[in-house]
Amino acid sequence: MFKIKWDKEINGIFLTDKTNDEVINPPRPVFYEELDLLGFDRYWSYPKSQKPLLWAIGRRYYYKGLMVAEAKGGNLFQSPSIVISEEGNKLSLKPISIEKVVEKNKKALFVLENEAMDFVEHTYRVYKKKMDFFAVSFSGGKDSQVVLDIVSRVLHPDDFIVIFCDTTMEISHTYKAVEKTKKEYQKKYPELKFYTAKPPKDALEFWKEFGPPSRIHRWCSTVTKTAPFVRLINDMDKDTGRNNQPKTLVFEGTRSEESNRRCTYQRIASGVKHSNLENAEVIRYWNVTEVFLYLFLRGLELNKGYRYGLGRIGCMICPFGSPFNDYIYNKINKRAIGDYIKILKNYAETLGYKNEESFLFISQGKWKSRTSSNGLKSKHFFKIEHIWGKSKFILNLPREKFLEWLKVTGDVLYKEGNNKTAGELKIGNEIFPFEIDKQDDREIIKFSNISRNIIAQSEIKKVLYKSTYCIHCGACEVECPTGALKVIPEVKINTKLCTHCSNCLNLARRGCLVAKSLTMSKGASRMEKNRLKGFGRYLTFGIRNEWLKDFLSKLELWFSDNNLGNKQVEGMKAWLKDSELLDNNNNVTELANLLSKTSKLSNKIVWEIIWINLYYNSSVCQWFSKNLEWDKIFRMSEIIEMVSASEESISERTIKSGIKSLFNTLETTPLGKELKIGIIEKRGRERVVKKLGTDDI
């Protein structure tokens, strides 16, 4: 929030609201434990003081405002190299008088804490009647420590709870910090309740079952944090007699400075991590220096991991962790992290990396960018065959009962006997007969009539994935709004409570996080690629009525005379090519010249011709035309799920981009409200579409 300058006189920093050439990036304090770990004792002399000795910005170290050293390189197995600057030669470090630093910054810290306290008080007052619970999400790290202190000074201990999410991948120092903090607060506020939310299994077991998490497939956050947090709240609420899940406002320590993605978050956001959680970011605008100064000001517990140089405290091994953090985690938690390294080594070897290559694969963090299921072995799978109007599914080693999971899609009637089951599934007004034949470790399931109903196909396919791969992680259970679904220790659906909302099926692509991880796309065949070519080529932009008018009025001159941004121009070109108004070399076509004259007479005729061409040339428009029923409302998220289930060879990101482009086109052109190809409306926070069609052609 404040700008920062060096206070060279006392080897400190100064918070200021003035901008000038002396302003620096926010530094963090550095302690002797970090210097020892990195080997600085070979270059400098310093005491084993509890106070910080110098400051660091990134991996550069500063003493009295001068850059005295830099740590370069390093990874999980290799220590960084230390480069001492000319100013840093043979330094004798003295502890920073943190009391003086805090004293000089008291006014700025007063502004910070009062703004945060006002925010907490205002938020509580506004949401008091809307929420069932107020909670502080406590991680044992510096940011959540500050949030807990601020909230506890504003709200009565009876008005909120504290929840520590134990992912089982925490470092030992975190558990110590959590326990010590709990004792201190319960001594001050005996009424304050602390809870620990844990996943149903140790994270190590989930790593074996899911495969390593990655930046692309981040199952770990949902399974070990969000789902246990929500399940704990639901369990606390189960005796209230409420039919729906409780709503909770969570005070948390997310800061916009931490990443580019987080800087786009709203300070109070709904449904970011779960539909029933409202997240309030108490110290959103604070920088890292302000957080540390506040800890020193208030004498709050400091997780020892920071004293070793960790920038952020979290899981001991993380796909988003930096190589520098990886090195520190491995040094201070070597025994525990070794079990995860064994899994990564087996994964690397399965991919074909041997001996030294496997260590390079791990140390260079290549596992963190896993996009496919290559290298992950599973005996669990199912096959699909379509024969004479019947769909045949062969499940190998299913982990859960297909019939039980099927109940979430609709009303199920069946009769069992001699390893054979005959039944009917009713979804809406349609009935789909099915047969199940159990053969040792396999189940053969046959459905009639589903090939003509893409929604039924999509949902049954997700049920097949869930039946085959379910490991009872609990992620989909907490998505159930009525409590009808229980997955721990086994799947049970209460048909009296289930509303067939499909929340549990739409949790992830393929309906199941494990299935998503173990069956991630390995690439499409040439036929599939041709069929789906260009699905996301419009970059989420729709072709707008005013853009088309501008193009048709200028034709060749439009390329040098338009008001669009670079990406908008690229998206527009893609639409113009699929509309056959530009050829592949970006030349204006004969049709464009003709429509340029016609548009002055009838804009509607122009759009009718364009839609015909888009049907034949745009895979998005063709999918929309062929697969969505007329006179029925579809949510955007529902359509994305339908495409995802039927077209597994393209990524979810590409699908979302294509569908958003189409919605934007229908919303801003005569194709929507005038020609009624698809009328776009807003329902709550989401857009929906309804295909009506026109008789005025």
Side-chain angles (χ1 to χ4, degrees):
M1 188 177 283
F2 284 97
K3 306 296 181 186
I4 301 171
K5 298 195 307 184
W6 290 123
D7 186 345
K8 298 179 182 179
E9 182 185 346
I10 60 169
N11 188 21
I13 53 90
F14 188 72
L15 303 177
T16 178
D17 53 9
K18 297 176 182 178
T19 303
N20 55 42
D21 294 339
E22 296 178 7
V23 168
I24 58 171
N25 288 329
R28 62 176 175 84
V30 177
F31 300 87
Y32 83 86
E33 288 92 341
E34 178 178 352
L35 300 182
D36 281 355
L37 186 143
L38 295 176
F40 275 99
D41 53 351
R42 291 173 290 167
Y43 309 100
W44 299 335
S45 63
Y46 48 83
K48 308 285 187 183
S49 171
Q50 289 303 300
K51 296 180 180 181
L53 299 169
L54 64 167
W55 304 87
I57 301 174
R59 299 176 67 178
R60 291 184 171 181
Y61 296 84
Y62 292 82
Y63 190 66
K64 295 183 178 180
L66 298 174
M67 202 273 280
V68 292
E70 184 175 6
K72 291 187 175 182
N75 55 52
L76 192 65
F77 305 122
Q78 187 177 22
S79 61
S81 59
I82 303 301
V83 179
I84 304 295
S85 71
E86 188 176 338
E87 291 83 358
N89 275 326
K90 298 180 180 178
L91 275 181
S92 179
L93 305 179
K94 294 179 180 179
I96 297 170
S97 175
I98 207 66
E99 296 82 7
K100 287 184 180 179
V101 177
V102 168
E103 186 61 35
K104 284 193 172 186
N105 290 286
K106 260 191 174 177
K107 286 184 180 179
L109 292 171
F110 178 79
V111 171
L112 285 169
E113 70 176 341
N114 274 275
E115 190 281 333
M117 291 171 78
D118 287 345
F119 171 76
V120 171
E121 185 178 17
H122 175 74
T123 302
Y124 179 75
R125 193 168 59 248
V126 169
Y127 285 88
K128 187 175 182 180
K129 293 182 179 179
K130 302 176 186 178
M131 295 291 142
D132 301 304
F133 291 95
F134 287 85
V136 169
S137 177
F138 186 67
S139 68
K142 63 185 186 308
D143 301 320
S144 65
Q145 193 72 259
V146 171
V147 171
L148 176 56
D149 180 72
I150 288 169
V151 173
S152 69
R153 293 167 64 197
V154 176
L155 303 185
H156 190 277
D158 282 339
D159 292 332
F160 72 101
I161 58 176
V162 184
I163 300 178
F164 165 54
C165 282
D166 179 7
T167 64
T168 74
M169 290 185 281
E170 314 298 327
I171 59 173
S172 57
H173 299 300
T174 294
Y175 293 115
K176 290 175 184 175
V178 169
E179 199 54 39
K180 191 171 179 182
T181 301
K182 181 179 175 181
K183 287 179 181 177
E184 288 175 357
Y185 274 86
Q186 289 184 331
K187 190 175 179 181
K188 281 195 293 185
Y189 311 111
E191 307 99 324
L192 184 58
K193 293 180 176 64
F194 274 76
Y195 296 92
T196 297
K198 288 183 72 170
K201 299 184 222 178
D202 192 271
L204 195 64
E205 294 305 309
F206 284 129
W207 271 58
K208 294 172 184 175
E209 293 168 322
F210 276 95
S214 72
R215 289 173 180 148
I216 310 300
H217 190 64
R218 196 181 177 186
W219 58 259
C220 49
S221 182
T222 300
V223 172
T224 66
K225 290 182 182 177
T226 306
F229 187 99
V230 176
R231 192 182 306 112
L232 175 67
I233 295 284
N234 291 348
D235 287 345
M236 291 166 56
D237 189 65
K238 62 185 177 183
D239 295 327
T240 62
R242 259 189 289 263
N243 291 325
N244 296 318
Q245 284 190 357
K247 293 188 178 296
T248 305
L249 187 135
V250 184
F251 293 110
E252 61 177 16
T254 302
R255 293 184 293 109
S256 58
E257 179 195 65
E258 292 180 308
S259 72
N260 291 331
R261 184 169 57 111
R262 290 185 172 189
C263 72
T264 63
Y265 290 2
Q266 295 176 341
R267 195 172 187 185
I268 300 179
S270 179
V272 174
K273 296 178 180 176
H274 188 271
S275 57
N276 286 325
L277 298 182
E278 203 89 21
N279 297 88
E281 298 173 0
V282 179
I283 56 171
R284 173 180 173 78
Y285 305 111
W286 292 30
N287 59 51
V288 66
T289 312
E290 292 163 343
V291 171
F292 274 108
L293 289 183
Y294 186 85
L295 289 171
F296 296 140
L297 170 71
R298 298 282 301 156
L300 302 178
E301 177 68 20
L302 179 67
N303 189 313
K304 197 171 181 179
Y306 296 116
R307 297 184 66 91
Y308 286 104
L310 289 173
R312 291 181 61 208
I313 299 290
C315 300
M316 68 180 81
I317 187 161
C318 175
F320 287 89
S322 68
F324 186 69
N325 265 24
D326 288 346
Y327 172 74
I328 295 172
Y329 275 128
N330 196 22
K331 288 291 284 186
I332 65 177
N333 237 62
K334 196 173 187 70
R335 181 178 294 178
I337 208 171
D339 293 328
Y340 294 93
I341 291 173
K342 284 178 187 175
I343 294 176
L344 291 176
K345 192 170 184 298
N346 290 334
Y347 172 55
E349 289 172 351
T350 307
L351 287 172
Y353 295 92
K354 295 181 180 179
N355 303 324
E356 287 299 315
E357 288 180 339
S358 67
F359 283 99
L360 281 174
F361 175 85
I362 298 168
S363 64
Q364 292 172 357
K366 291 183 179 179
W367 63 275
K368 298 179 181 183
S369 56
R370 172 172 77 91
T371 57
S372 77
S373 58
N374 290 341
L376 302 178
K377 296 178 180 179
S378 177
K379 297 176 182 178
H380 309 269
F381 60 86
F382 72 84
K383 297 178 182 177
I384 303 174
E385 298 174 8
H386 298 290
I387 307 170
W388 299 105
K390 282 193 175 183
S391 297
K392 180 179 175 182
F393 307 99
I394 303 169
L395 279 63
N396 194 64
L397 292 171
R399 283 173 161 152
E400 260 299 344
K401 297 173 184 175
F402 171 77
L403 275 174
E404 195 65 24
W405 268 121
L406 190 62
K407 293 174 185 176
V408 304
T409 64
D411 298 324
V412 182
L413 292 172
Y414 60 90
K415 187 176 181 180
E416 293 180 294
N418 297 323
N419 292 325
K420 292 185 183 294
T421 302
E424 292 179 342
L425 168 65
K426 185 180 179 185
I427 300 178
N429 295 320
E430 290 194 80
I431 294 175
F432 306 97
F434 65 85
E435 303 167 16
I436 302 175
D437 184 9
K438 293 185 179 180
Q439 301 177 358
D440 297 324
D441 292 332
R442 296 198 313 166
E443 287 185 19
I444 299 172
I445 302 166
K446 296 176 184 175
F447 266 92
S448 301
N449 301 334
I450 65 164
S451 58
R452 57 186 169 80
N453 188 318
I454 193 167
I455 296 177
Q457 264 188 73
S458 171
E459 295 210 336
I460 289 169
K461 207 169 177 183
K462 289 174 184 176
V463 167
L464 290 162
Y465 274 118
K466 293 176 94 68
S467 306
T468 304
Y469 292 98
C470 179
I471 61 168
H472 312 106
C473 70
C476 55
E477 180 183 307
V478 300
E479 296 299 324
C480 179
T482 65
L485 172 64
K486 300 295 177 189
V487 302
I488 301 170
E490 62 180 354
V491 175
K492 291 285 183 185
I493 287 92
N494 185 334
T495 54
K496 292 179 181 178
L497 296 177
C498 182
T499 61
H500 314 303
C501 67
S502 299
N503 283 10
C504 59
L505 296 178
N506 297 333
L507 167 73
R509 193 172 190 183
R510 300 179 177 88
C512 171
L513 287 172
V514 185
K516 182 182 176 185
S517 181
L518 298 182
T519 61
M520 291 171 78
S521 176
K522 296 181 175 68
S525 66
R526 183 175 296 178
M527 185 182 295
E528 287 173 319
K529 284 178 179 175
N530 288 336
R531 186 180 76 240
L532 304 170
K533 187 177 180 182
F535 205 93
R537 68 190 298 204
Y538 312 116
L539 309 176
T540 74
F541 297 108
I543 178 173
R544 298 183 187 178
N545 193 38
E546 60 268 26
W547 293 3
L548 183 69
K549 282 183 176 180
D550 190 42
F551 171 77
L552 291 176
S553 68
K554 297 173 181 173
L555 296 176
E556 288 90 349
L557 296 175
W558 176 84
F559 291 94
S560 58
D561 181 20
N562 64 73
N563 296 319
L564 306 185
N566 292 337
K567 287 191 175 181
Q568 289 175 319
V569 168
E570 290 307 307
M572 180 64 172
K573 283 181 185 176
W575 281 114
L576 293 172
K577 287 176 183 177
D578 287 345
S579 302
E580 298 185 19
L581 303 183
L582 288 180
D583 63 21
N584 289 331
N585 295 317
N586 292 323
N587 297 315
V588 173
T589 63
E590 188 177 344
L591 176 62
N593 282 298
L594 182 61
L595 293 188
S596 176
K597 300 169 185 175
T598 308
S599 65
K600 297 168 186 174
L601 301 173
S602 173
N603 190 42
K604 190 183 286 187
I605 288 176
V606 170
W607 280 104
E608 287 176 354
I609 292 170
I610 283 175
W611 182 252
I612 292 168
N613 287 340
L614 288 175
Y615 173 84
Y616 286 103
N617 301 320
S618 167
S619 56
V620 179
C621 296
Q622 189 173 100
W623 192 98
F624 173 82
S625 301
K626 283 184 173 181
N627 293 298
L628 294 190
E629 296 176 50
W630 293 95
D631 202 27
K632 185 173 179 180
I633 292 173
F634 294 91
R635 303 189 311 272
M636 180 188 281
S637 59
E638 187 178 11
I639 296 172
I640 290 168
E641 283 294 331
M642 289 165 65
V643 181
S644 182
S646 62
E647 309 290 354
E648 294 188 359
S649 57
I650 55 176
S651 72
E652 197 166 2
R653 184 177 179 180
T654 299
I655 293 169
K656 286 180 180 178
S657 175
I659 298 302
K660 283 181 181 178
S661 306
L662 177 63
F663 267 60
N664 291 337
T665 295
L666 295 173
E667 195 168 31
T668 59
T669 68
L671 293 172
K673 288 186 178 178
E674 286 186 52
L675 293 171
K676 300 177 184 176
I677 298 297
I679 298 174
I680 305 294
E681 294 177 353
K682 197 83 181 284
R683 296 284 175 88
R685 297 187 174 192
E686 190 170 20
R687 286 186 291 175
V688 300
V689 65
K690 186 176 184 180
K691 288 169 58 176
L692 284 178
T694 180
D695 55 5
D696 182 21
I697 298 175

